[in-house]
Amino acid sequence: MNLILLGPPGAGKGTQAEGLAKRRGLIQLSTGDMLREAVKAGTPVGREAKAIMEAGGLVPDAVVIKIIADRIEHADCANGFILDGFPRTLKQAAALDELLAGQGKKLDAVIELKVDDGILESRIENRARETAAAGGTPRADDNADALRKRLMAYYRETAPLIGYYFAKGKLHSVDGMAPITEVAGSVDGVLSALAAP
Ligand code: AMP
């Protein structure tokens, strides 16, 4: 099963993708995580992405499309994957369609996590606080300024994907504001309904 988790920053895509990957034996593919690793490792991609990510902008389409193209052809993706944070633009979505068609794969569903803007800011603040309390380093883009830019990028570039996938009959929206386990239950409900004859 190949899935996309769609939603604004702080909607819980990473948390839900991680749980779903474990429950269903799927591979979680987070372009944000891959880019953060590239930044940490100081690779050419990381050097190109660092300042853009810190400012809350979007890394160029060609860069992320190449990352995903290389990743989904790995053998571990054969049983299915969950895309978390990709695609984020219509260009990326079109590239994904081509990639999947080229590999004889299909997209089973796009799950949109719906969360009000007002809640996103406090979630991002909490994530930064909890990471620091656990002795970690909060993400460089988990602050009010970068969040505003990430939200703008979401509404301008990513929100149009909701219509794109609705038109393809792939879109399933769930309430992302409920407690984590309830959201997970809603996501499982969508997938069970898909599997039903
Ligand atoms: P995330 O962890 O998904 O919130 O992503 C963190 C940051 O990585 C984003 O704000 C972007 O700067 C960058 N990024 C992640 N995925 C993409 C993507 N598909 N397209 C462009 N930029 C991305």
PDB file of all heavy atoms in Angstrom, residues 14-32:
ATOM      1  N   GLY A  14       4.264  13.376  10.843  1.00  0.00           N
ATOM      2  CA  GLY A  14       5.375  12.513  11.246  1.00  0.00           C
ATOM      3  C   GLY A  14       4.933  11.479  12.267  1.00  0.00           C
ATOM      4  O   GLY A  14       5.224  10.290  12.131  1.00  0.00           O
ATOM      5  N   THR A  15       4.186  11.933  13.274  1.00  0.00           N
ATOM      6  CA  THR A  15       3.720  11.039  14.341  1.00  0.00           C
ATOM      7  C   THR A  15       2.805   9.960  13.755  1.00  0.00           C
ATOM      8  O   THR A  15       2.953   8.769  14.053  1.00  0.00           O
ATOM      9  CB  THR A  15       2.926  11.858  15.390  1.00  0.00           C
ATOM     10  OG1 THR A  15       3.778  12.888  15.861  1.00  0.00           O
ATOM     11  CG2 THR A  15       2.462  10.998  16.535  1.00  0.00           C
ATOM     12  N   GLN A  16       1.859  10.367  12.925  1.00  0.00           N
ATOM     13  CA  GLN A  16       0.920   9.393  12.351  1.00  0.00           C
ATOM     14  C   GLN A  16       1.629   8.461  11.361  1.00  0.00           C
ATOM     15  O   GLN A  16       1.336   7.268  11.317  1.00  0.00           O
ATOM     16  CB  GLN A  16      -0.266  10.109  11.685  1.00  0.00           C
ATOM     17  CG  GLN A  16      -1.179  10.825  12.673  1.00  0.00           C
ATOM     18  CD  GLN A  16      -1.776   9.892  13.724  1.00  0.00           C
ATOM     19  OE1 GLN A  16      -2.013   8.708  13.484  1.00  0.00           O
ATOM     20  NE2 GLN A  16      -2.022  10.414  14.914  1.00  0.00           N
ATOM     21  N   ALA A  17       2.560   9.001  10.588  1.00  0.00           N
ATOM     22  CA  ALA A  17       3.267   8.157   9.612  1.00  0.00           C
ATOM     23  C   ALA A  17       4.083   7.090  10.346  1.00  0.00           C
ATOM     24  O   ALA A  17       4.113   5.928   9.935  1.00  0.00           O
ATOM     25  CB  ALA A  17       4.180   9.014   8.737  1.00  0.00           C
ATOM     26  N   GLU A  18       4.710   7.486  11.455  1.00  0.00           N
ATOM     27  CA  GLU A  18       5.536   6.544  12.210  1.00  0.00           C
ATOM     28  C   GLU A  18       4.689   5.392  12.753  1.00  0.00           C
ATOM     29  O   GLU A  18       5.032   4.214  12.612  1.00  0.00           O
ATOM     30  CB  GLU A  18       6.216   7.299  13.356  1.00  0.00           C
ATOM     31  CG  GLU A  18       7.386   6.564  13.956  1.00  0.00           C
ATOM     32  CD  GLU A  18       7.976   7.321  15.138  1.00  0.00           C
ATOM     33  OE1 GLU A  18       7.894   8.572  15.157  1.00  0.00           O
ATOM     34  OE2 GLU A  18       8.494   6.648  16.046  1.00  0.00           O
ATOM     35  N   GLY A  19       3.541   5.743  13.368  1.00  0.00           N
ATOM     36  CA  GLY A  19       2.666   4.713  13.930  1.00  0.00           C
ATOM     37  C   GLY A  19       2.106   3.805  12.842  1.00  0.00           C
ATOM     38  O   GLY A  19       2.099   2.569  12.970  1.00  0.00           O
ATOM     39  N   LEU A  20       1.673   4.408  11.762  1.00  0.00           N
ATOM     40  CA  LEU A  20       1.082   3.660  10.656  1.00  0.00           C
ATOM     41  C   LEU A  20       2.112   2.717  10.019  1.00  0.00           C
ATOM     42  O   LEU A  20       1.799   1.569   9.672  1.00  0.00           O
ATOM     43  CB  LEU A  20       0.576   4.675   9.625  1.00  0.00           C
ATOM     44  CG  LEU A  20      -0.308   4.198   8.494  1.00  0.00           C
ATOM     45  CD1 LEU A  20      -1.525   3.461   9.031  1.00  0.00           C
ATOM     46  CD2 LEU A  20      -0.754   5.409   7.654  1.00  0.00           C
ATOM     47  N   ALA A  21       3.337   3.207   9.891  1.00  0.00           N
ATOM     48  CA  ALA A  21       4.400   2.390   9.304  1.00  0.00           C
ATOM     49  C   ALA A  21       4.599   1.127  10.143  1.00  0.00           C
ATOM     50  O   ALA A  21       4.712   0.019   9.608  1.00  0.00           O
ATOM     51  CB  ALA A  21       5.696   3.197   9.226  1.00  0.00           C
ATOM     52  N   LYS A  22       4.589   1.296  11.477  1.00  0.00           N
ATOM     53  CA  LYS A  22       4.780   0.145  12.376  1.00  0.00           C
ATOM     54  C   LYS A  22       3.595  -0.802  12.275  1.00  0.00           C
ATOM     55  O   LYS A  22       3.755  -2.014  12.173  1.00  0.00           O
ATOM     56  CB  LYS A  22       4.929   0.618  13.825  1.00  0.00           C
ATOM     57  CG  LYS A  22       6.306   1.177  14.103  1.00  0.00           C
ATOM     58  CD  LYS A  22       6.562   1.296  15.611  1.00  0.00           C
ATOM     59  CE  LYS A  22       7.806   2.131  15.848  1.00  0.00           C
ATOM     60  NZ  LYS A  22       7.579   3.310  16.665  1.00  0.00           N
ATOM     61  N   ARG A  23       2.373  -0.236  12.313  1.00  0.00           N
ATOM     62  CA  ARG A  23       1.173  -1.085  12.317  1.00  0.00           C
ATOM     63  C   ARG A  23       1.022  -1.876  11.026  1.00  0.00           C
ATOM     64  O   ARG A  23       0.530  -2.989  11.034  1.00  0.00           O
ATOM     65  CB  ARG A  23      -0.090  -0.246  12.555  1.00  0.00           C
ATOM     66  CG  ARG A  23      -0.170   0.430  13.904  1.00  0.00           C
ATOM     67  CD  ARG A  23      -1.582   0.902  14.249  1.00  0.00           C
ATOM     68  NE  ARG A  23      -2.116   1.897  13.357  1.00  0.00           N
ATOM     69  CZ  ARG A  23      -1.817   3.198  13.381  1.00  0.00           C
ATOM     70  NH1 ARG A  23      -0.946   3.642  14.255  1.00  0.00           N
ATOM     71  NH2 ARG A  23      -2.373   4.048  12.538  1.00  0.00           N
ATOM     72  N   ARG A  24       1.405  -1.284   9.916  1.00  0.00           N
ATOM     73  CA  ARG A  24       1.146  -1.906   8.609  1.00  0.00           C
ATOM     74  C   ARG A  24       2.388  -2.448   7.913  1.00  0.00           C
ATOM     75  O   ARG A  24       2.301  -2.897   6.762  1.00  0.00           O
ATOM     76  CB  ARG A  24       0.491  -0.890   7.671  1.00  0.00           C
ATOM     77  CG  ARG A  24      -0.773  -0.292   8.219  1.00  0.00           C
ATOM     78  CD  ARG A  24      -1.976  -0.725   7.417  1.00  0.00           C
ATOM     79  NE  ARG A  24      -3.196  -0.460   8.145  1.00  0.00           N
ATOM     80  CZ  ARG A  24      -4.393  -0.813   7.725  1.00  0.00           C
ATOM     81  NH1 ARG A  24      -4.533  -1.460   6.593  1.00  0.00           N
ATOM     82  NH2 ARG A  24      -5.457  -0.549   8.439  1.00  0.00           N
ATOM     83  N   GLY A  25       3.550  -2.329   8.558  1.00  0.00           N
ATOM     84  CA  GLY A  25       4.778  -2.827   7.931  1.00  0.00           C
ATOM     85  C   GLY A  25       5.145  -2.042   6.679  1.00  0.00           C
ATOM     86  O   GLY A  25       5.609  -2.617   5.687  1.00  0.00           O
ATOM     87  N   LEU A  26       4.932  -0.731   6.731  1.00  0.00           N
ATOM     88  CA  LEU A  26       5.259   0.118   5.584  1.00  0.00           C
ATOM     89  C   LEU A  26       6.510   0.943   5.906  1.00  0.00           C
ATOM     90  O   LEU A  26       6.884   1.082   7.069  1.00  0.00           O
ATOM     91  CB  LEU A  26       4.092   1.072   5.278  1.00  0.00           C
ATOM     92  CG  LEU A  26       2.735   0.406   4.992  1.00  0.00           C
ATOM     93  CD1 LEU A  26       1.628   1.451   4.946  1.00  0.00           C
ATOM     94  CD2 LEU A  26       2.789  -0.367   3.679  1.00  0.00           C
ATOM     95  N   ILE A  27       7.120   1.490   4.887  1.00  0.00           N
ATOM     96  CA  ILE A  27       8.305   2.331   5.086  1.00  0.00           C
ATOM     97  C   ILE A  27       7.869   3.800   5.125  1.00  0.00           C
ATOM     98  O   ILE A  27       7.130   4.247   4.245  1.00  0.00           O
ATOM     99  CB  ILE A  27       9.303   2.122   3.913  1.00  0.00           C
ATOM    100  CG1 ILE A  27       9.805   0.683   3.871  1.00  0.00           C
ATOM    101  CG2 ILE A  27      10.464   3.106   3.998  1.00  0.00           C
ATOM    102  CD1 ILE A  27      10.753   0.305   4.981  1.00  0.00           C
ATOM    103  N   GLN A  28       8.328   4.501   6.154  1.00  0.00           N
ATOM    104  CA  GLN A  28       8.008   5.942   6.264  1.00  0.00           C
ATOM    105  C   GLN A  28       9.069   6.738   5.509  1.00  0.00           C
ATOM    106  O   GLN A  28      10.265   6.588   5.771  1.00  0.00           O
ATOM    107  CB  GLN A  28       8.010   6.358   7.744  1.00  0.00           C
ATOM    108  CG  GLN A  28       7.778   7.855   7.948  1.00  0.00           C
ATOM    109  CD  GLN A  28       7.907   8.276   9.413  1.00  0.00           C
ATOM    110  OE1 GLN A  28       8.212   7.455  10.276  1.00  0.00           O
ATOM    111  NE2 GLN A  28       7.697   9.540   9.679  1.00  0.00           N
ATOM    112  N   LEU A  29       8.639   7.533   4.566  1.00  0.00           N
ATOM    113  CA  LEU A  29       9.582   8.351   3.800  1.00  0.00           C
ATOM    114  C   LEU A  29       9.308   9.831   4.078  1.00  0.00           C
ATOM    115  O   LEU A  29       8.358  10.400   3.551  1.00  0.00           O
ATOM    116  CB  LEU A  29       9.444   8.075   2.294  1.00  0.00           C
ATOM    117  CG  LEU A  29       9.688   6.633   1.841  1.00  0.00           C
ATOM    118  CD1 LEU A  29       9.481   6.516   0.334  1.00  0.00           C
ATOM    119  CD2 LEU A  29      11.088   6.162   2.210  1.00  0.00           C
ATOM    120  N   SER A  30      10.110  10.421   4.932  1.00  0.00           N
ATOM    121  CA  SER A  30       9.944  11.835   5.287  1.00  0.00           C
ATOM    122  C   SER A  30      11.042  12.644   4.605  1.00  0.00           C
ATOM    123  O   SER A  30      12.224  12.492   4.933  1.00  0.00           O
ATOM    124  CB  SER A  30      10.039  11.999   6.811  1.00  0.00           C
ATOM    125  OG  SER A  30      10.400  13.327   7.132  1.00  0.00           O
ATOM    126  N   THR A  31      10.647  13.492   3.648  1.00  0.00           N
ATOM    127  CA  THR A  31      11.665  14.308   2.971  1.00  0.00           C
ATOM    128  C   THR A  31      12.296  15.282   3.971  1.00  0.00           C
ATOM    129  O   THR A  31      13.474  15.593   3.861  1.00  0.00           O
ATOM    130  CB  THR A  31      11.068  15.072   1.767  1.00  0.00           C
ATOM    131  OG1 THR A  31       9.767  15.547   2.096  1.00  0.00           O
ATOM    132  CG2 THR A  31      11.015  14.207   0.540  1.00  0.00           C
ATOM    133  N   GLY A  32      11.516  15.749   4.962  1.00  0.00           N
ATOM    134  CA  GLY A  32      12.066  16.644   5.977  1.00  0.00           C
ATOM    135  C   GLY A  32      13.199  15.953   6.738  1.00  0.00           C
ATOM    136  O   GLY A  32      14.283  16.517   6.920  1.00  0.00           O
TER     137      GLY A  32
END
